[in-house]
Amino acid sequence: MTFSGHTILITGGTSGIGLGFAKKFAELGNKVIIAARNEDRLNQILSENPTFSGFVSDVADENSLSQLVNFINENFPKLDLLMNCAGIMRAINLFEQADNSLGALTEEININLLGTIAVTQAFLEVLVANNGMVINVSSGLSNLADGAHPIYNLTKASVHFYSDALREQAKYFDKALKVVELVPPLVAETNLESHTNTDAPNNMALSDLINETLAGLENGLERIDAGFSKQLHQMGKVNSDENTKLLSNQMLSNYFPKNKE
Ligand SMILES: NC(=O)c1ccc[n+]([C@@H]2O[C@H](COP(=O)([O-])OP(=O)(O)OC[C@H]3O[C@@H](n4cnc5c(N)ncnc54)[C@H](OP(=O)(O)O)[C@@H]3O)[C@@H](O)[C@H]2O)c1
C-alpha cells in the first residue's frame, strides 16, 4: 500500500495523534475525513485544514455512529483506510476516587474498546470491497499493567487481541483487509492526559511517531511498536510479573504520591 490516493477516516482526528496523521496523510495526497465529538473543535480544525472533511461523531454512541456510516457511505464510498484513534485515558484510584461509579469506570471500555470494535464492524464491508486497511491504535500500556490506569490498560490489551483476531480472520476467510496495530509509547503534542505535560523530554515526538509508522506500513508490518513501545513489548513478554510490579510502583507514585507536601 503506497500512501497516496486513499480515502481515510480517522476517528479522534481533531487532536494529538489522530490530527497529526490527518495532516500527514493529507499532505501525502490522500482524502482525509476526521470524526470526533466536540463540534467547535472539529469546525476549527476543518477551517484550518480546508482539504479535510469532517463529521461530528461519538464512537461510543450507536446512533451517532450510524449517522457517521450514512455520511461516509453517501460521500466517500471509496473509503479504504480506517484509523481507530479515538480514545481517552484515566488515572484511577480504585480505593479513593470521588466518582468510581460503574458509568465512570466503564467509560474507557465504551470508547477505547467497544468504540474500536463498533466502528470497525460498521465499515468492514466497504473496507474489504475497497481492498482496504484498518489501523487500530493501542498503546505500549497494552503489554503490561501500569497500576495507575487500571481500565485503560485492559482496553488497550483488548484492542491488541481484537486486532490479532481480526487479522487472522481476514487471512483465514480470504478477505482483502490488512489489519495493523499501531503501538505508540508516550507521545508529545497530545491531550490524552490534559493535566500532565505530554511534552516531557522522554516522550516521543509526534513527527517521529508518524515517520516510524509510515516506514512500518511501507515495510508491511502488522504491528508497529513505535519508540519505547519496543521495550514495553519485551517487558510484557520477559519477566512480565516482575516488570508489572516495577512499572506499577513507579507509575502509582507518579500519579498518586503518598507524601503530597
Ligand atoms: N498520547 C499518548 O501518549 C498515547 C500513547 C499511546 C496510545 N495513545 C492512543 O492514541 C489515541 C489518540 O490519543 P491522543 O494522545 O492523540 O489523545 P488526544 O489528543 O486527547 O485526542 C483524542 C481524540 O479522540 C477523540 N475522542 C475521544 N473520545 C471520543 C469518542 N467517544 N468518539 C469520538 N472521538 C473521541 C477526541 O475528540 P473529542 O473529545 O472531541 O471527541 C480527540 O480528537 C488514543 O487511542 C490513545 O489511547 C496515545
Side-chain angles (χ1 to χ4, degrees):
M1 195 177 205
T2 53
F3 270 91
S4 62
H6 299 286
T7 302
I8 302 175
L9 170 63
I10 305 179
T11 67
T14 58
S15 174
I17 294 174
L19 179 56
F21 274 95
K23 288 179 178 170
K24 187 65 181 183
F25 283 142
E27 188 189 308
L28 291 173
N30 299 287
K31 180 78 218 144
V32 173
I33 308 112
I34 56 172
R37 295 167 302 180
N38 184 315
E39 186 167 12
D40 291 343
R41 171 91 184 139
L42 183 84
N43 287 335
Q44 185 196 330
I45 300 294
L46 293 180
S47 70
E48 289 166 6
N49 300 273
T51 66
F52 291 8
S53 300
F55 199 81
V56 176
S57 182
D58 181 344
V59 299
D61 180 297
E62 222 176 332
N63 287 334
S64 174
L65 178 56
S66 69
Q67 286 167 25
L68 175 66
V69 172
N70 291 340
F71 172 76
I72 295 289
N73 287 344
E74 276 166 29
N75 298 287
F76 303 100
K78 296 241 161 69
L79 180 80
D80 64 348
L81 201 166
L82 165 65
M83 185 166 188
N84 280 308
C85 204
I88 59 166
M89 182 185 199
R90 302 258 187 272
I92 299 176
N93 178 338
L94 294 166
F95 293 92
E96 274 190 7
Q97 211 136 299
D99 183 7
N100 277 341
S101 62
L102 189 60
L105 287 175
T106 50
E107 201 184 358
E108 290 159 289
I109 298 177
N110 290 336
I111 296 175
N112 302 358
L113 175 58
L114 301 185
T116 296
I117 295 171
V119 178
T120 305
Q121 198 62 39
F123 292 108
L124 212 48
E125 200 177 324
V126 66
L127 289 169
V128 170
N130 291 326
N131 203 6
M133 177 185 279
V134 180
I135 302 176
N136 287 334
V137 181
S138 67
S139 163
L141 293 180
S142 62
N143 293 292
L144 66 179
D146 83 329
H149 302 93
I151 312 298
Y152 183 81
N153 280 159
L154 74 87
T155 66
K156 293 302 182 172
S158 302
V159 166
H160 160 69
F161 283 111
Y162 168 69
S163 304
D164 275 0
L166 179 63
R167 184 184 307 115
E168 293 309 315
Q169 284 213 5
K171 289 177 190 166
Y172 182 79
F173 293 117
D174 261 334
K175 299 292 180 187
L177 180 75
K178 293 203 177 84
V179 180
V180 173
E181 181 185 353
L182 170 59
V183 192
L186 271 175
V187 179
E189 303 155 75
T190 65
N191 292 312
L192 194 61
E193 289 195 298
S194 43
H195 57 284
T196 62
N197 173 20
T198 67
D199 295 337
N202 289 337
N203 291 359
M204 189 173 199
L206 186 51
S207 57
D208 290 345
L209 174 75
I210 292 169
N211 290 336
E212 196 172 329
T213 305
L214 289 176
L217 291 173
E218 266 156 36
N219 289 325
L221 295 188
E222 294 177 335
R223 170 185 174 122
I224 301 171
D225 289 287
F228 188 66
S229 287
K230 292 176 199 58
Q231 280 94 313
L232 288 166
H233 193 192
Q234 282 307 310
M235 285 166 70
K237 286 205 291 197
V238 182
N239 287 338
S240 160
D241 294 345
E242 246 353 88
N243 285 326
T244 295
K245 287 173 195 158
L246 286 172
L247 182 66
S248 295
N249 277 333
Q250 190 188 329
M251 294 287 267
L252 284 165
S253 60
N254 283 350
Y255 280 88
F256 304 109
K258 286 182 177 165
N259 300 318
K260 287 179 184 146
E261 62 273 16

